[in-house]
Amino acid sequence: MQRLITALMSCAFVATSGAVLAHHSFAMFDQENPIELEGVVQEFKFTSPHTFIILQVKQSDGSTQLWSLEGGAPSALARDGWSSKTLKPGDELQLTVEPLRSGAPGGSWAVGRTKFKDGRPIMVTP
Amino acid sequence: MLYRNSIGAVALAAVLATAVTGVRAHDEAKYPDWSGQWLRTGGIQWDPTKPIGRGQQAPLTPEYQAIFEASLADQAVGGVGNDARYSCFPVGMPRLMSVIFPMEFIFAPKITYILFENNMPRRIYTDGRSWPKDPEATFAGYSIGKWIDEDGDGRYDLLEVETRHMKGPRTFEGTGLPLHKDNQTVVKERISLDRSKPDILHDEITTIDHALTRPWTVTKNFRRERNPSWFENDCSEDNHHVSIGKEHYFLSADGYLMPAKKGQAPPDLKYFKQSLN
């Protein structure tokens, strides 16, 4: 039975943060200085060892930059109700991400820090 | 003739009796119920009772404390320090027992297997064998175990395991908390169900290693899921972390190398023909 669970629930954030679920260190991402991103999903890679959101982010000059955002393992997200179909190309998202320390367009994303831009909850089926 | 036939009949009967006895040798009633899926109850750090990293207060020698500090410093600027797991490098023992992703136990008469969702399995030989002489080292090591009936009720309740012959490099956790490069590690475990909560499993793990000033004992705890879901979790499927030489890079969304550290140089392309522009 499907039920709506707001991805912003703090317990979901704690349980499914990428760093908590990582098989390796996430220290390459700047956890002390997260940034806000808005963009359009180009691809949601529900693959091992970590899921990726490939996000099209509009720049101030009108160009688009592609961000590579690493998240929790698909098996861990699946246990929280996520699937390869939870996010689709074209979905508009608002995220708080921990960026690569190098400044390159990459970072880590987490369930509890990700929502649809229009405020709709991200629907999962535990 | 009758005498020979009698001897043959007795011999046949003896063989059949042995065969029947052999079938009953693996009496499942003698083993504890460790069926199902086991998930860690703590975080990804080695000692679940303490914070990750320096908070572990690991009993490292001064030499290996310095190696650990260098790992933390590298990670603080975007590097990976001593943690090679980002490139799907095997974690080995004892770090396997952090059970980042679930595990299950399979009992056979002379061997216990631990299957991990995202790692090669462990084999724990319980047939009373001696240590092999100079075996080929592996990351998971060579494990010999012994079942013990602690409370004398006729059923095993404790598995004692010793593991030797590991190869490296290995670390305790993702911060790069190191084990000694001589790979002389010995890991001793006592694995048993909680006395009052049969869906909780404890693994008391003692690591003896030359990077440590003393044996280091931690207890890992796991909860049982009796109706599990298992997922395929193969690190090599789509790893975006690239190791070239001693440097770590991150793949861009369109598949190119990106720096992970500020000011990081690109890889040395000396083996590529490069045009002069």
Side-chain angles (χ1 to χ4, degrees), chain B residues 118-131:
Chain B
N118 71 324
N119 278 293
M120 292 278 288
R122 283 184 68 192
R123 291 180 177 82
I124 301 170
Y125 298 103
T126 56
D127 57 358
R129 64 178 57 188
S130 303
W131 290 102

Side-chain angles (χ1 to χ4, degrees), chain A residues 23 25 47-48 70 79 102, chain B residues 83 85 117 237-238 241 259:
Chain A
H23 69 298
S25 169
T47 51
S48 298
E70 183 171 11
R79 290 185 171 100
S102 65
Chain B
D83 181 30
R85 183 57 182 164
E117 189 175 82
E237 180 186 357
D238 189 28
H241 297 271

Side-chain angles (χ1 to χ4, degrees), chain B residues 1 47 69 87 103 107 115 132 150 155 167 208 214 238 258 269:
Chain B
M1 188 71 107
D47 183 345
E69 292 294 337
S87 62
M103 66 177 175
F107 298 155
L115 307 183
E150 274 197 313
R155 193 169 190 179
K167 68 177 180 181
I208 302 158
R214 56 169 172 80
D238 189 28
M258 296 197 295
L269 301 179

Side-chain angles (χ1 to χ4, degrees), chain B:
Chain B
M1 188 71 107
L2 183 61
Y3 179 66
R4 277 200 201 135
N5 286 343
S6 297
I7 290 175
V10 169
L12 176 61
V15 167
L16 287 174
T18 303
V20 170
T21 303
V23 166
R24 290 180 182 159
H26 181 58
D27 184 350
E28 291 185 358
K30 289 187 61 136
Y31 290 82
D33 176 14
W34 291 5
S35 63
Q37 182 185 83
W38 295 96
L39 300 98
R40 61 184 162 90
T41 60
I44 59 173
Q45 67 270 39
W46 179 239
D47 183 345
T49 67
K50 294 182 179 175
I52 199 170
R54 288 192 192 87
Q56 290 284 291
Q57 298 176 305
L60 292 168
T61 63
E63 178 190 0
Y64 274 77
Q65 184 68 36
I67 291 172
F68 182 38
E69 292 294 337
S71 177
L72 293 172
D74 186 52
Q75 290 187 353
V77 294
V80 291
N82 297 334
D83 181 30
R85 183 57 182 164
Y86 72 94
S87 62
C88 302
F89 199 83
V91 296
M93 280 293 285
R95 187 171 163 182
L96 270 173
M97 295 316 293
S98 284
V99 188
I100 303 298
F101 296 99
M103 66 177 175
E104 68 179 330
F105 291 87
I106 306 292
F107 298 155
K110 298 179 181 181
I111 185 170
T112 291
Y113 298 93
I114 305 180
L115 307 183
F116 301 93
E117 189 175 82
N118 71 324
N119 278 293
M120 292 278 288
R122 283 184 68 192
R123 291 180 177 82
I124 301 170
Y125 298 103
T126 56
D127 57 358
R129 64 178 57 188
S130 303
W131 290 102
K133 287 187 171 49
D134 198 24
E136 202 64 43
T138 62
F139 292 102
Y142 194 99
S143 297
I144 293 178
K146 182 180 174 185
W147 284 104
I148 295 172
D149 176 6
E150 274 197 313
D151 55 13
D153 65 352
R155 193 169 190 179
Y156 298 130
D157 38 46
L158 170 67
L159 179 61
E160 286 188 342
V161 187
E162 182 167 325
T163 302
R164 305 180 189 176
H165 304 297
M166 287 151 271
K167 68 177 180 181
R170 286 166 295 114
T171 57
F172 282 99
E173 58 176 37
T175 57
L177 212 167
L179 287 110
H180 202 283
K181 63 184 179 184
D182 69 8
N183 291 313
Q184 295 299 303
T185 317
V186 175
V187 181
K188 299 190 178 187
E189 297 169 87
R190 291 168 56 85
I191 310 174
S192 62
L193 289 177
D194 187 276
R195 294 261 182 221
S196 59
K197 300 173 189 172
D199 286 345
I200 297 292
L201 187 77
H202 303 295
D203 187 3
E204 180 191 276
I205 310 171
T206 299
T207 306
I208 302 158
D209 186 86
H210 292 141
L212 305 173
T213 56
R214 56 169 172 80
W216 188 15
T217 300
V218 306
T219 300
K220 300 276 197 183
N221 305 302
F222 310 99
R223 64 171 178 83
R224 190 195 321 244
E225 172 55 65
R226 291 187 183 267
N227 295 300
S229 297
W230 291 100
F231 299 94
E232 193 172 64
N233 191 336
D234 190 330
C235 187
S236 60
E237 180 186 357
D238 189 28
N239 191 7
H240 288 219
H241 297 271
V242 179
S243 172
I244 299 178
K246 294 184 179 176
E247 293 292 315
H248 158 250
Y249 302 93
F250 195 74
L251 284 183
S252 70
D254 48 359
Y256 293 91
L257 287 178
M258 296 197 295
K261 289 184 186 180
K262 193 168 267 188
Q264 187 176 18
D268 190 338
L269 301 179
K270 66 184 178 184
Y271 291 110
F272 287 77
K273 287 183 184 171
Q274 297 178 59
S275 59
L276 296 171
N277 290 323

Side-chain angles (χ1 to χ4, degrees), chain A:
Chain A
M1 180 179 169
Q2 189 173 26
R3 56 190 177 96
L4 297 180
I5 297 179
T6 304
L8 293 173
M9 284 174 67
S10 57
C11 60
F13 164 69
V14 170
T16 58
S17 147
V20 170
L21 300 173
H23 69 298
H24 62 81
S25 169
F26 260 44
M28 68 200 69
F29 305 116
D30 191 347
Q31 294 159 37
E32 295 81 29
N33 297 290
I35 62 172
E36 302 298 314
L37 277 185
E38 272 188 15
V40 177
V41 174
Q42 173 166 300
E43 186 178 1
F44 179 42
K45 303 180 75 144
F46 204 71
T47 51
S48 298
H50 288 274
T51 56
F52 273 83
I53 297 175
I54 306 301
L55 196 73
Q56 299 168 342
V57 179
K58 265 282 193 326
Q59 304 297 291
S60 54
D61 64 358
S63 64
T64 298
Q65 189 176 48
L66 275 185
W67 278 69
S68 180
L69 301 171
E70 183 171 11
S75 59
L77 292 185
R79 290 185 171 100
D80 280 343
W82 282 62
S83 79
S84 60
K85 300 176 178 61
T86 300
L87 296 178
K88 296 180 292 298
D91 283 343
E92 295 186 64
L93 301 179
Q94 273 185 338
L95 313 94
T96 304
V97 305
E98 294 164 353
L100 277 171
R101 293 181 188 270
S102 65
S108 75
W109 73 278
V111 165
R113 301 190 305 253
T114 304
K115 56 185 177 180
F116 288 118
K117 186 181 169 186
D118 61 9
R120 278 179 301 127
I122 296 179
M123 294 168 61
V124 295
T125 308

